[in-house]
Amino acid sequence: MSKKMKQQKLGLWMLTALVTGNMIGSGIFLLPASLAAYGSISLLSWIATAVGALLIALVFAKLANVMPLIGGPYAYCREAFGDFIGFQMAYNYWIALWVGNAAIVVALTGYLSFFWPLLAKNALWSCFVSISLVWLMTFINILGVRHAGVFQLLTTILKLIPLLLIAFVGIFYIHPHFLSAFNLSGKSNLSAFSGAATLTLWSFIGLESASVPAGHVDNPTRTIPKATILGVIIATVVYILSSIAVMGVMPLTELAHSNAPYADAANIMFGPMGSTLIAIGAVISCLGALNGWILLQGQIPLAAAQDKLFPSIFLKKTENGTPIVGLVISSVLISLLLLLTLNHSLVKQFTIIILLATLASLIPYFLTTMSELVIFFKYPGLFKKGRKLFGSVAIAILAGIYSFWVIIGSGKETVFYGTLLLLSSAPVYVWMKWRASSKDVINVTEQPLPLP
């Protein structure tokens, strides 16, 4: 390995920042308002979701420890179930990445409008700024994975400051009677608990981030598991403490109708400067999440191309190992999607695409948990026998049950459109196989015939 390539490796704290930064994005700043409609029972949902997310994280940690392959969930699913399922995961997950990035940058531009009101009034300027931000983050990633890692570490630290400030200062502003409204949903406690748990899981999407760029990680068998668990724990602490603070400083019925719950809570605690603080934190949070997810959007097609499941053009890398074609093509697709939203009649279509991306993120979690069980039987020598093996199997089964429950809870519309996306991968796979077989035929016919 060249010295330059070695310098491009991600260490523990950069990789932990990738996990934490990808999970803590734009959604957390609006989530307390959505959860307030359920009541303080949603705080129990946070705890249950954190346990479920930790179970899934442990599965990724174990697989990364015994099999640190580039592509994370894609690589594990392919190893366990073969090329077709592997292709489906790469196809779905890659779409989820760049569509999700379009949503993140739209949220980022929305928060920037706090400082530049023109962005909220002029769709053309808003689109231009969004596309510019996408390409700025793409350029940082093209410079090398370590540059992206440094940027991710910096933005993660900066985004945690306002959230932790709200969490710890908010303790002194909490009114316990505000939290006494246990269930405001009008439904049973179980329904309210499940509904809130489904919402809170969106905040943990990204927990698999450390496993995706395995080829760029220093000592991956140790670093990826540690970064995954550390990232989930840090995010959990921030989520639960800050949610308690925000839900405790104002009546839940009022919070449920807030368009900027963290800003409103900060205004109560710190006055008008509080809203500015949160707006800055939200911008940094979205910027960090955008950088982290753009880093991943080049890794998935690279991993699939190495296995000849994606076009070979995705194999092209820069001198420092950056998958430049995957990054650029993904960012071009994001830019096209953003241009489509200029036409307000297409906003509904954009919303449907987001629903597709949501389930496209959840299905790999379920199949990865099942992959671990298959890999246990396929390569028994990779796993330690006895209690540790039993514990790993139990965790994989529990994580699988949890993932399946969350998919069910994501709603009929999400499951419907997500299933369509999953099925749409089949003809694409057939086309890829047809192209591969055509090349093989051409190569065979070009060989000189043996002389008699």
Side-chain angles (χ1 to χ4, degrees):
M1 183 188 296
S2 68
K3 186 177 180 182
K4 189 171 183 180
M5 284 292 290
K6 194 169 184 180
Q7 288 174 343
Q8 286 294 325
K9 295 289 184 179
L10 294 170
L12 176 62
W13 291 112
M14 286 184 186
L15 205 60
T16 302
L18 180 65
V19 177
T20 306
N22 280 4
M23 284 193 290
I24 303 176
S26 58
I28 182 61
F29 290 93
L30 294 173
L31 199 55
S34 302
L35 294 176
Y38 290 96
S40 58
I41 192 173
S42 60
L43 296 176
L44 297 179
S45 298
W46 267 123
I47 296 171
T49 304
V51 172
L54 194 57
L55 287 171
I56 298 171
L58 287 169
V59 170
F60 277 100
K62 171 58 75 175
L63 287 170
N65 179 254
V66 299
M67 197 174 284
L69 302 172
I70 299 173
Y74 150 72
Y76 306 139
C77 290
R78 178 180 176 271
E79 186 62 44
F81 302 115
D83 282 355
F84 179 56
I85 297 298
F87 174 79
Q88 280 192 318
M89 289 305 96
Y91 174 85
N92 278 34
Y93 193 61
W94 182 50
I95 290 175
L97 286 174
W98 59 261
V99 171
N101 282 337
I104 290 171
V105 78
V106 166
L108 171 55
T109 305
Y111 287 121
L112 281 173
S113 67
F114 179 88
F115 305 100
W116 191 8
L118 177 66
L119 295 178
K121 300 173 184 176
N122 190 307
L124 191 61
W125 267 106
S126 176
C127 185
F128 172 75
V129 169
S130 295
I131 291 174
S132 299
L133 289 167
V134 167
W135 286 101
L136 173 63
M137 294 300 103
T138 304
F139 176 70
I140 290 173
N141 276 272
I142 287 173
L143 290 177
V145 71
R146 190 164 180 84
H147 288 84
V150 170
F151 186 84
Q152 189 71 3
L153 181 59
L154 180 63
T155 54
T156 299
I157 292 170
L158 291 175
K159 79 167 69 173
L160 289 177
I161 292 172
L163 292 172
L164 290 173
L165 199 60
I166 291 282
F168 290 111
V169 174
I171 293 171
F172 302 102
Y173 291 85
I174 288 176
H175 299 278
H177 63 278
F178 288 163
L179 297 173
S180 62
F182 187 66
N183 184 357
L184 297 174
S185 68
K187 299 178 182 179
S188 68
N189 286 344
L190 181 60
S191 296
F193 174 80
S194 299
T198 302
L199 285 176
T200 52
L201 179 71
W202 308 146
S203 298
F204 285 93
I205 288 176
L207 60 87
E208 74 287 355
S209 298
S211 66
V212 177
H216 291 281
V217 176
D218 186 28
N219 193 5
T221 56
R222 290 177 58 84
T223 306
I224 295 174
K226 285 183 179 180
T228 300
I229 302 303
L230 268 175
V232 171
I233 290 172
I234 291 170
T236 298
V237 170
V238 172
Y239 287 152
I240 293 177
L241 292 182
S242 62
S243 292
I244 291 172
V246 172
M247 296 176 80
V249 299
M250 66 179 83
L252 294 183
T253 50
E254 181 183 325
L255 180 63
H257 294 95
S258 171
N259 292 321
Y262 272 86
D264 291 342
N267 190 52
I268 293 170
M269 297 176 201
F270 309 112
M273 282 298 296
S275 298
T276 304
L277 175 70
I278 292 303
I280 293 171
V283 167
I284 294 171
S285 184
C286 291
L287 205 57
L290 182 63
N291 172 69
W293 286 110
I294 282 180
L295 187 153
L296 301 189
Q297 75 184 19
Q299 298 289 330
I300 293 296
L302 169 65
Q306 287 175 341
D307 297 324
K308 299 182 180 179
L309 295 179
F310 266 35
S312 57
I313 190 174
F314 287 105
L315 291 172
K316 187 173 178 58
K317 295 188 281 188
T318 61
E319 287 183 5
N320 55 32
T322 302
I324 186 167
V325 172
L327 280 172
V328 170
I329 289 178
S330 301
S331 292
V332 167
L333 290 169
I334 296 170
S335 302
L336 290 173
L337 196 54
L338 290 169
L339 287 170
L340 286 177
T341 61
L342 274 173
N343 186 337
H344 292 292
S345 65
L346 293 175
V347 170
K348 188 174 181 181
Q349 292 179 29
F350 184 71
T351 304
I352 290 171
I353 294 171
I354 293 298
L355 287 175
L356 298 182
T358 299
L359 196 65
S361 298
L362 293 175
I363 290 175
Y365 290 172
F366 173 68
L367 287 180
T368 299
T369 62
M370 296 298 101
S371 296
E372 184 176 7
L373 297 175
V374 174
I375 291 170
F376 279 147
F377 298 114
K378 199 172 179 181
Y379 305 106
L382 290 176
F383 302 91
K384 292 181 180 178
K385 302 293 188 290
R387 288 185 179 180
K388 287 191 175 182
L389 178 59
F390 176 79
S392 295
V393 170
I395 287 170
I397 291 171
L398 289 173
I401 292 170
Y402 172 75
S403 303
F404 195 72
W405 172 63
V406 171
I407 289 172
I408 293 171
S410 63
K412 293 178 182 178
E413 190 177 17
T414 302
V415 173
F416 172 74
Y417 287 116
T419 303
L420 292 183
L421 177 63
L422 197 64
L423 293 175
S424 73
S425 64
V428 179
Y429 180 77
V430 171
W431 177 72
M432 286 295 303
K433 284 295 182 182
W434 176 78
R435 283 185 74 244
S437 62
S438 298
K439 286 181 180 179
D440 290 341
V441 170
I442 291 169
N443 290 334
V444 168
T445 56
E446 285 177 350
Q447 296 297 322
L449 293 173
L451 294 173

